[in-house]
Amino acid sequence: QVQLVESGGGLVQAGGSLRLSCAASGFTFDNYPMGWFRQAPGQEREFVASINWSGGHTYYADSVKGRFTISRDNAKNTVYLQLNSLKPEDTAVYYCARKTSIGYDRSAPALSDYAYWGQGTQVTVSS
């Protein structure tokens, strides 16, 4: 079965960096686009970044553009999210997800476009 396991979250000061990883199994990883989402307390889950099957195309939410970088290593079945210049408002649980279909376009997706989700990893940014 499809499994997505995130790691790398933690507590960091504003301006700091973290690298999140998501290890995937149970499907042909390099067939599918992947995404990162986040959910802050009391707020809805929101899109952060996505990447196509090869890693050649990416798309970011405006709020993280220029600070976060999504990448993938298909040999390791892993997708990454590098978080730089972190702000207190980046505090959230971060989730990786696999897109339902193999198609990819560079636009903000609906949550329903993603069929499988990890358990999440907490990122807390102190001011």
Side-chain angles (χ1 to χ4, degrees):
Q1 71 278 21
V2 173
Q3 284 195 317
L4 301 170
V5 180
E6 301 97 334
S7 61
L11 173 64
V12 63
Q13 288 189 332
S17 298
L18 284 173
R19 189 194 197 200
L20 308 184
S21 299
C22 173
S25 61
F27 64 100
T28 305
F29 183 71
D30 56 7
N31 277 358
Y32 290 91
M34 299 293 293
W36 284 95
F37 296 76
R38 67 186 181 185
Q39 187 166 17
Q43 297 188 22
E44 294 185 351
R45 193 169 298 190
E46 65 175 3
F47 167 76
V48 174
S50 66
I51 190 166
N52 78 326
W53 70 272
S54 69
H57 296 284
T58 57
Y59 185 81
Y60 298 91
D62 286 344
S63 59
V64 307
K65 201 174 296 182
R67 300 188 298 121
F68 292 6
T69 303
I70 188 172
S71 62
R72 66 190 295 163
D73 185 337
N74 287 344
K76 295 183 178 179
N77 284 6
T78 301
V79 60
Y80 303 97
L81 187 68
Q82 178 68 41
L83 290 66
N84 295 332
S85 302
L86 281 161
K87 305 175 181 179
E89 52 263 42
D90 294 319
T91 294
V93 178
Y94 283 71
Y95 299 90
C96 77
R98 195 207 85 177
K99 199 165 180 287
T100 306
S101 67
I102 62 174
Y104 178 80
D105 61 85
R106 300 178 72 183
S107 64
L111 269 63
S112 58
D113 290 342
Y114 285 76
Y116 298 94
W117 297 81
Q119 83 289 349
T121 186
Q122 176 71 46
V123 172
T124 303
V125 185
S126 64
S127 56

